[in-house]
Structure formats: structure tokens, C-alpha cells
Amino acid sequence: MTARAIPSPPGPRSGIGVPWRDRQGAFSAFKLAVLVALMLPALWLAWQAANGMLGPRPLNEAIHQTGLWGVRILLVSLLVTPLRQLVRQPRVMLVRRMVGVAAMAYILAHLALYIADQGFDLGKVVSEIVLRFYLTIGFVALVGLVALGITSTDGWVKRLGGRRWQALHRAVYAIGVLALVHFVLQTKLDVTEAMLTAGLFLWLMGYRLLAPKGGAPALWRLALLVPIAAIGTALLEAAWYGLGTGVPFWPVLEANLDTEFGLRPALWVGIVSAAMLLPALYGKWQQGRQPVRGRRASATRSA
């Protein structure tokens, strides 16, 4: 009788292909929670479609929602690194790849639904992408996202080398700009959400300029970023209305301080930017506790 080969135990990275496992293959409730959260917009959209809740033009509404969620999740992917630095929790980085791939998936669904809306006439789709500027830049952003999604694996990190891989994936900032320009240009009347998204992107880019390499910026720098991001958002909105519709620059700028009809994007960006001081304060508190925990652990081991 020949001995049956005993399978070797799984290696420490055997669970990396399973979304709810960490890099050691252990179950991660954090990753599972993020995965579920990323799926919720798609499930909600499917439920709306099944119950006839997408309005008179359901396919057009689905195109809009998938594109909107794609841009939102792309911004969340850019938030992962700042959040990890602010709260000083390395495990936050476990979900960066997942969030980035989810953004790509929503944008791919956005394109697929657009193709369906055009009656699967690929010739017409290509013609529209070539002739309409906002579609052209949206398609370029999609191609860039797909390239980053394909090369997001550890295998591609090894093939390209760490430096070249990082240089390639910095293209996400340019992709973000293209996606936002596409978002603004395709918005017909109310650009409130597009400007809010652009303002949050300004904060994310400002954070990267202010943060030291590999660490979180000082609290005073984060506080300074609050008015900078808010004012930048107001200037963007005023410039857009001025160039796109001919509305005078100053009245639009002043409207950002008028709360009679609700908060304008600039004020919302200011509120969100100020809220980011909370994780920074939490991170500072955690940093202050670390030496105490270290001394206690050392005393326990010596006992």
C-alpha cells in the first residue's frame, strides 16, 4: 500500500485571495465589514431596479448611480492612507486594495450600463466616446483604473519592483482629476454634489502635500487645511458657474456663506475637513498610551 501524501499546511499568505481574510489567512471581521459596505450600493440599486423604483428612465438612473458610487469609492480609496496615519492603525491598509478594486468594478458597471443604454451598438458607443469630450476623459479614467486594478496584486509588485509599482499607482491622482472633470461636465444643472466631491478631493490632495513622508501631519497643519479646502471648493464652484454659465463670480462665491437654503459644498467640505481632526486626536491619544502599555507588558514578562 502506498502512503497517501499528506497535504502541507497552508502557508501564512494562503488566505490572501479571500476578501475576508488577512495576509496571514486568518478571518478578519474588519475586512468583511468593509466588503459588505462596498456591496451595499450595488445591492440597493438592484433592489430598486427589481421594484421599479428607478424612475421613468431606469437604465439612465442606474448609469448615474454606478458612476456616482464609483467616484465616491475612489475617494474612499484615497482616504485609506491618511486614515491609517491619523489613527495609527496599520490594519486599515488591509482594505486599500479591496476599496480600489470596488471603485473599478462600479465604474466598469457604469460603462456596461451605458453600452446597454445604447442598445449594445459598440460602433455608436465608440463614436460617442471619441466625439464627446466628457465621455473621452471618463473613458481614459476608466482605462487607468483598470490598469491599476490589474497591477494591484503582490505578483505585479514583484514584477515591477516596489519603486516602479508605486510610481505607476500614483497615477490614481490624475485618474481622480479626470473622473471629477467627467462628473462635473456630465452634470446638467445642479453641480452641488460634483463640487462637494471635488472639494473632498482637494482635501485629500492637500493632506498629502502637508503630511511628512510616512506619517501624519501636525494638528495645526490639519486645522489649517480646513479653511483651505473650504475656500478652494468655493472658488471651484464660482469658477465653474462663471465659465460654464456666465453667472458672475462674486455672487456665487458669496452664496457659499448663505445657509438659508441649506449648506453649500464649501461649508460641507469645511465640516468634513474639521471632522478629520477627530481621528487625528484619537491617534495622538493612542500614541501617548503606547509607552505605558509597553512598560506594563515589560513588567508582566519580567514577573
Side-chain angles (χ1 to χ4, degrees):
M1 180 182 295
T2 58
R4 179 178 296 179
I6 301 175
S8 58
R13 294 162 62 85
S14 62
I16 192 170
V18 183
W20 50 84
R21 294 188 181 276
D22 61 20
R23 298 181 70 84
Q24 285 69 45
F27 171 75
S28 170
F30 173 58
K31 290 191 70 177
L32 179 60
V34 172
L35 177 63
V36 171
L38 292 170
M39 293 173 61
L40 285 178
L43 295 173
W44 171 241
L45 178 60
W47 190 84
Q48 287 180 300
N51 289 275
M53 299 172 60
L54 294 179
R57 299 180 61 192
L59 203 52
N60 188 68
E61 179 62 20
I63 292 170
H64 171 72
Q65 287 197 31
T66 50
L68 180 58
W69 278 106
V71 173
R72 286 171 175 169
I73 295 172
L74 178 61
L75 261 63
V76 173
S77 74
L78 293 174
L79 179 62
V80 171
T81 295
L83 196 58
R84 188 267 297 173
Q85 293 172 346
L86 291 175
V87 300
R88 290 172 169 81
Q89 291 289 339
R91 70 171 185 165
V92 173
M93 296 298 287
L94 288 173
V95 301
R96 184 172 63 175
R97 180 185 300 173
M98 182 195 300
V99 176
V101 170
M104 179 192 71
Y106 277 93
I107 299 299
L108 282 172
H110 180 65
L111 175 62
L113 289 167
Y114 176 73
I115 293 172
D117 192 46
Q118 299 301 314
F120 297 98
D121 185 343
L122 296 183
K124 182 179 179 182
V125 170
V126 171
S127 174
E128 290 287 295
I129 289 174
V130 171
L131 295 176
R132 296 179 182 269
F133 178 66
Y134 79 94
L135 291 179
T136 304
I137 59 177
F139 184 73
V140 172
L142 170 60
V143 171
L145 271 180
V146 171
L148 296 188
I150 291 172
T151 59
S152 66
T153 63
D154 291 343
W156 274 102
V157 176
K158 292 178 181 178
R159 291 188 190 97
L160 294 173
R163 288 186 178 180
R164 284 192 295 173
W165 186 88
Q166 287 182 349
L168 172 64
H169 280 253
R170 288 193 188 102
V172 70
Y173 307 137
I175 291 170
V177 171
L178 292 175
L180 288 169
V181 173
H182 169 78
F183 187 9
V184 173
L185 290 178
Q186 65 85 39
T187 303
K188 305 302 181 185
L189 295 174
D190 187 4
V191 295
T192 300
E193 187 152 18
M195 288 299 157
L196 172 60
T197 307
L200 296 176
F201 182 79
L202 279 179
W203 184 91
L204 289 164
M205 295 302 99
Y207 176 94
R208 283 164 168 80
L209 290 175
L210 295 178
K213 187 174 182 180
L219 280 173
W220 71 267
R221 290 190 174 190
L222 270 182
L224 182 62
L225 191 53
V226 175
I228 290 175
I231 293 170
T233 306
L235 291 172
L236 275 177
E237 185 179 22
W240 165 253
Y241 277 113
L243 295 173
T245 65
V247 176
F249 181 87
W250 288 109
V252 177
L253 199 59
E254 292 171 357
N256 280 278
L257 300 177
D258 185 359
T259 60
E260 183 178 355
F261 299 102
L263 300 182
R264 298 299 303 162
L267 291 178
W268 276 117
V269 169
I271 291 170
V272 174
S273 301
M276 292 307 297
L277 293 170
L278 296 177
L281 290 169
Y282 172 80
K284 290 287 186 183
W285 177 68
Q286 285 286 86
Q287 186 181 35
R289 293 182 62 202
Q290 283 176 358
V292 176
R293 289 203 302 265
R295 288 195 296 270
R296 286 177 178 172
S298 177
T300 301
R301 285 194 298 269
S302 61

